[in-house]
Amino acid sequence: MVIKMRKRRIALLLIPALIISGLAVFFVRYAENRQAWAMSVYNRGIYSSGQLITGNIYDRNGIMLSKVEDGVRRFASDETIRRATAHATGDINGNIGTGALKAFTSELVGYNIITGINNGRSDLYLTIDSELNRTAYEALGGYSGTVAVVNYKTGEILCMVSTPSCDPVSSETAEGDGVYLNRFLSASYTPGSVFKIITLIAALEEIPDIMEREFACNGSVEIDGEAVNCHSVHGTLKIEDAFAQSCNCAFAEIAIELGDDTIIEYAESLGLTSSVDIDGIQTASGSFDTAENDRYTAWLGIGQYRDLVNPASMLRLVSAIANGGAAPEFRLISGQGTALLSFIDAMEHRGDRSERLVSSATSEQMTAMMDYNVYSNYGDGNFPGLELCAKSGTAEVGGDKAPHSWFVGFITNEEYPLAFVVVSENGGSGAGTAGRIANTVLQSAIAGGE
Amino acid sequence: MKAVSEKAKTEEKKLYPEVVGIILSAIGVALLWTDWSNMIKQTMCALIGLAGFGILAPMMQARRIKPAIRVLAALLGVALIAANVVLGESEYGAQNWLTIAGWTFQPSELVKVCVVLLATGLTDKRSKFRFILFTAFSAVAVLAMAFINDFGSALVFFLAYLAAAVDNKRYYMAGLAAVSAGGAGALAVKLRPHIAARFLSCGKAWENVATTGYQQTRTMIAIASGGLVGAGLGNGWLRGVAAADTDMVFGIVCEELGLIVGVLMIILVLYLGVAVLMRPSSGSGAVAAAVILMAQMALNVLGSVDVVPFTGVTFPFVSRGGTSVLACWGLLAVIDGDKNA
Ligand SMILES: [Zn+2]
């Protein structure tokens, strides 16, 4: 026999009902925000005076980049290594927003719902090779700019240097223009002739007889009453030579035939206007403006006008060309200290996460032409043993400043599936300055067995 | 048929409120293990409370509480309230601490026992005197707590009054009380805008991490830090924050013992409270005591995580504080003893 509770008291059940609703509100907030709460800078379990006091960072070979000892954060003992890896690792004050210390806080703490911030151990292994970073840092030789090398099969970023850099251990604010900015991830530059890669891809897919065409260059072409200059008098040339010689007259003609909308559409579909997600870090995205006349359209297709390109997105595009058309998912984290965390990470990144940017037919044509660039223009002798495919860019930046020097490309040798981007600001000739830096870094990468 | 019904009544599921008290007291004592002197105090109070429970529970049936005892309880309660209002020391906002000969205690905690004592026996047909005494005393208690800015306790006393009053045939008084309390609250907000400001900052803890949201944000951070299983007893940092072991004790439990234990504590209090409300034999005093325990738990937990305003109410049995623990055992004695045969 069921005994009923007193009728009037049923109203009192409103009290526990309200309490349960309040708890539900809390648990919904907990489910949504628990990670952000745990990662708060006010969490004394992981922060002390604004410094992250948990989590060690190593490079892909287990070389220590930053480590906590007795509650104090330390960095690599070699200053050049520190400066060369500062943008990957981050600095003690947290000024470098895209450094691991800021961007991978959660991984460094090893936060998970079961043990919270207490997992006993929190080691983070980056994909970069600190020695290769050192080579790149030294090869930049005082130029501002960036060097990055990626394995285009796996997406692992092996080298990522941005200059000017700072000593991450120093608590003083570093002097210099944008020292805390990782130019690979967060800058966008006028691309100059490296943008001809995009214009050429568009031409290969939109102009059926492009391979048969002949272009005429007498050093300049008049469009809308003003001259679009070429850097040389190329005479009559076919598309592969127009690309290899980076002939502005030929590309002006192609750009106008394609139209500004088509070129921008290709820039978008090739990933240049969107942000790349690298283990949660959002890169800067490039931007392009529609042109109001043919002359501007010509400059748009040549990579000048108002074109802006982020080095990471450019590297992603050449990686896709190297990889048969599919851009690999870029990674900066190679592993985490505990089996549980590595398992969670593996589950999050399982399956093929590459994204097709160009058809395999187009990527084959592009590979052949970028190979021809090195053979016919940049000189195989300047890149001994590399089996290099590349495109240079010499981006005019206005005023009386020297142009930015770009060099992008990849190695076709299956044993060294490396793609790279080099930008040296005001470095002059692309194939010259940036090309030399690329050669030094790639030679070192191969010698190091990457 | 009547015989069957009588039999069913005697077979009513027995509640073991002392089990809830023992588990929660044990958690409260364990949390103090880095603080020996307070741990000993807390243990002593829990043991005295348990013994008191054993002795007092059988004496808590309404018919055993003589009018003289009720008057005495009311007078003692008023004296405690008066002492609180006149001599009380303000600690972190609410003026609810009293130090006598080096022994700190919270008179308002003991007033709760007086309230539930006076709340007993309101179901009886002839309870005019009891009801008037209970109503008058509750009014004094609520107003006094509001006066010393202890709005958490004021709300707890108010809910206890409503809960017990619905049992009486003069239950419409409860409605009247609710309306007048609402009016008084509105008046208070109008006269003292800084109080309104304090309550309006609820839900905005993350926008005020250094000021009005300090305790709540630290509690949420600690809860998230502990995960489901916690960092281990004594390994948290929230206990280092001022008054955390009373007002933010839920955060300490979650940080060190894990969210699972934290949720278990909530479930224990809610289970006991709802069981008392549903138990047909529960007297009005037991219902009031159950509502007090649930309301305190809710104000403590939800206040510390920014769902309701932060009022500094203690978590029953778990928060540090001897008076609070003793009072909670007193409430349990009424829950166990105040039954209509
Ligand atoms: Zn030309």
Side-chain angles (χ1 to χ4, degrees):
Chain A
M1 181 157 182
V2 180
I3 303 166
K4 284 188 184 135
M5 70 183 286
R6 287 161 189 271
K7 276 190 187 138
R8 278 189 219 148
R9 282 192 189 152
I10 292 172
L12 292 181
L13 290 178
L14 199 61
I15 294 171
L18 275 174
I19 294 172
I20 290 167
S21 328
L23 291 167
V25 168
F26 168 67
F27 282 106
V28 167
R29 287 184 194 165
Y30 174 83
E32 282 173 1
N33 304 314
R34 58 191 169 81
Q35 177 148 344
W37 292 350
M39 289 306 122
S40 160
V41 289
Y42 302 106
N43 191 343
R44 292 182 209 173
I46 55 174
Y47 280 98
S48 172
S49 336
Q51 286 177 18
L52 192 68
I53 49 160
T54 177
N56 306 322
I57 305 173
Y58 302 92
D59 83 347
R60 65 184 296 106
N61 300 316
I63 308 288
M64 188 273 278
L65 300 178
S66 179
K67 188 174 187 167
V68 178
E69 278 172 355
D70 306 323
V72 179
R73 178 159 293 284
R74 303 186 190 287
F75 290 84
S77 56
D78 184 281
E79 189 186 334
T80 311
I81 292 280
R82 287 203 300 273
R83 287 179 176 273
T85 59
H87 290 92
T89 308
D91 65 307
I92 192 128
N93 290 336
N95 287 316
I96 300 172
T98 53
L101 286 173
K102 282 285 258 210
F104 302 145
T105 318
S106 179
E107 288 83 354
L108 278 168
V109 170
Y111 173 80
N112 64 86
I113 187 164
I114 296 162
T115 61
I117 61 167
N118 320 284
N119 56 1
R121 185 161 152 235
S122 45
D123 291 337
L124 178 69
Y125 292 85
L126 298 180
T127 55
I128 62 160
D129 176 335
S130 57
E131 282 302 326
L132 192 58
N133 266 39
R134 181 215 292 271
T135 305
Y137 180 78
E138 287 170 344
L140 272 163
Y143 280 116
S144 292
T146 181
V147 176
V149 179
V150 65
N151 179 319
Y152 58 74
K153 297 271 182 217
T154 64
E156 292 166 290
I157 295 171
L158 305 171
C159 170
M160 179 173 73
V161 170
S162 176
T163 51
S165 189
C166 61
D167 191 343
V169 79
S170 166
S171 55
E172 285 164 36
T173 305
E175 298 283 323
D177 187 22
V179 288
Y180 300 126
L181 182 81
N182 185 333
R183 285 161 155 76
F184 172 68
L185 300 172
S186 310
S188 29
Y189 292 104
T190 303
S193 298
V194 290
F195 188 77
K196 286 170 183 157
I197 293 173
I198 289 86
T199 311
L200 179 57
I201 290 172
L204 288 171
E205 300 195 341
E206 301 291 331
I207 303 173
D209 66 337
I210 188 73
M211 298 306 289
E212 286 77 47
R213 291 270 186 98
E214 286 192 340
F215 300 91
C217 169
N218 50 21
S220 124
V221 57
E222 200 183 282
I223 305 169
D224 297 332
E226 268 188 68
V228 169
N229 289 319
C230 190
H231 47 87
S232 185
V233 179
H234 293 115
T236 304
L237 67 182
K238 298 193 94 176
I239 184 69
E240 57 265 37
D241 282 302
F243 188 55
Q245 303 297 327
S246 210
C247 176
N248 284 353
C249 296
F251 273 83
E253 189 183 325
I254 293 169
I256 291 164
E257 187 171 338
L258 288 168
D260 56 346
D261 289 341
T262 306
I263 295 170
I264 293 171
E265 267 168 38
Y266 269 85
E268 281 168 4
S269 71
L270 295 172
L272 296 189
T273 55
S274 43
S275 177
V276 181
D277 182 306
I278 305 180
D279 286 318
I281 299 174
Q282 301 297 321
T283 66
S285 48
S287 61
F288 303 90
D289 270 0
T290 49
E292 58 219 50
N293 58 35
D294 280 353
R295 187 162 56 84
Y296 287 158
T297 300
W299 284 121
L300 168 76
I302 290 167
Q304 292 290 151
Y305 189 49
R306 294 184 198 130
D307 301 5
L308 285 172
V309 170
N310 163 257
S313 64
M314 200 68 213
L315 180 59
R316 190 162 170 269
L317 174 55
V318 291
S319 299
I321 293 169
N323 195 32
E329 183 192 22
F330 279 6
R331 300 291 314 266
L332 270 168
I333 297 174
S334 84
Q336 283 180 266
T338 67
L340 173 69
L341 296 174
S342 297
F343 174 75
I344 293 171
D345 188 65
M347 293 308 286
E348 280 174 358
H349 291 275
R350 69 186 183 279
D352 180 18
R353 292 169 63 91
S354 63
E355 185 193 344
R356 178 155 293 279
L357 294 182
V358 283
S359 68
S360 60
T362 305
S363 81
E364 249 171 68
Q365 282 177 299
M366 289 303 297
T367 302
M369 287 206 252
M370 288 170 75
D371 181 38
Y372 182 72
N373 288 352
V374 180
Y375 165 79
S376 71
N377 189 0
Y378 315 141
D380 280 324
N382 291 325
F383 308 94
L386 287 186
E387 299 169 52
L388 199 70
C389 299
K391 180 73 189 91
S392 68
T394 305
E396 301 296 339
V397 288
D400 45 8
K401 286 184 190 153
H404 289 344
S405 173
W406 277 82
F407 205 61
V408 299
F410 51 91
I411 295 171
T412 48
N413 189 329
E414 289 274 314
E415 280 180 52
Y416 311 108
L418 305 178
F420 63 91
V421 60
V422 176
V423 183
S424 60
E425 295 175 20
N426 312 117
S429 155
T433 310
R436 265 194 304 279
I437 296 168
N439 178 55
T440 308
V441 174
L442 293 173
Q443 296 292 352
S444 171
I446 286 173
E450 309 291 3
Chain B
M1 276 312 281
K2 203 176 177 223
V4 176
S5 156
E6 289 297 323
K7 193 164 178 269
K9 254 184 192 171
T10 56
E11 275 180 2
E12 182 182 270
K13 220 167 107 189
K14 179 154 169 44
L15 277 178
Y16 292 96
E18 65 272 30
V19 175
V20 172
I22 290 169
I23 295 174
L24 293 178
S25 293
I27 295 174
V29 167
L31 289 183
L32 293 170
W33 90 312
T34 53
D35 180 359
W36 278 101
S37 69
N38 273 319
M39 187 180 179
I40 290 164
K41 259 187 215 170
Q42 189 91 353
T43 310
M44 295 281 288
C45 287
L47 291 175
I48 293 169
L50 182 60
F53 170 85
I55 297 163
L56 290 175
M59 297 159 59
M60 285 299 168
Q61 276 187 11
R63 60 189 161 84
R64 295 196 181 178
I65 302 170
K66 302 274 177 284
I69 299 176
R70 290 177 190 278
V71 173
L72 216 64
L75 289 176
L76 177 68
V78 170
L80 286 166
I81 291 169
N84 199 339
V85 171
V86 178
L87 305 168
E89 292 157 36
S90 168
E91 190 169 319
Y92 312 111
Q95 176 190 333
N96 54 12
W97 291 83
L98 201 60
T99 311
I100 293 172
W103 184 268
T104 312
F105 78 109
Q106 286 184 283
S108 60
E109 297 289 342
L110 296 178
V111 174
K112 282 165 196 161
V113 182
C114 298
V115 164
V116 293
L117 210 62
L118 297 174
T120 56
L122 298 181
T123 39
D124 288 10
K125 293 272 182 293
R126 300 163 65 188
S127 57
K128 192 175 176 189
F129 166 71
R130 293 174 189 176
F131 190 73
I132 290 170
L133 191 63
F134 176 59
T135 303
F137 184 79
S138 295
V140 170
V142 170
L143 290 174
M145 290 303 120
F147 180 74
I148 61 171
N149 282 350
D150 188 351
F151 294 98
S153 294
L155 181 61
V156 167
F157 286 134
F158 178 65
L159 289 176
Y161 177 76
L162 288 188
V166 294
D167 270 356
N168 195 266
K169 59 180 177 182
R170 296 165 195 86
Y171 61 89
Y172 53 85
M173 287 291 289
L176 214 63
V179 171
S180 49
L187 192 69
V189 165
K190 206 173 178 189
L191 293 178
R192 294 157 88 177
H194 67 276
I195 293 168
R198 197 175 115 201
F199 285 83
L200 287 175
S201 71
C202 174
K204 294 175 187 151
W206 291 100
E207 295 156 38
N208 305 296
V209 286
T211 54
T212 51
Y214 184 86
Q215 287 105 325
Q216 300 92 315
T217 50
R218 299 324 184 264
T219 304
M220 287 184 261
I221 291 167
I223 292 170
S225 296
L228 297 180
V229 297
L233 208 50
N235 293 337
W237 52 265
L238 188 66
R239 56 169 63 242
V241 174
D245 52 6
T246 55
D247 304 350
M248 297 171 255
V249 74
F250 178 65
I252 299 182
V253 168
C254 290
E255 186 189 13
E256 301 188 1
L257 302 176
L259 189 65
I260 292 171
V261 176
V263 170
L264 188 79
M265 298 197 318
I266 294 173
I267 290 173
L268 277 177
V269 175
L270 277 182
Y271 165 77
L272 178 66
V274 172
V276 171
L277 293 190
M278 308 269 291
R279 184 177 64 174
S281 69
S282 291
S284 48
V287 167
V291 166
I292 289 178
L293 289 177
M294 285 193 290
Q296 283 202 202
M297 180 278 289
L299 288 174
N300 176 276
V301 171
L302 298 178
S304 71
V305 297
D306 202 32
V307 174
V308 302
F310 189 86
T311 48
V313 166
T314 55
F315 194 114
F317 301 100
V318 183
S319 287
R320 180 178 62 77
T323 337
S324 168
V325 169
L326 285 173
C328 288
W329 280 107
L331 299 180
L332 280 197
V334 175
I335 283 176
D336 198 51
D338 183 26
K339 278 185 284 193
N340 301 313

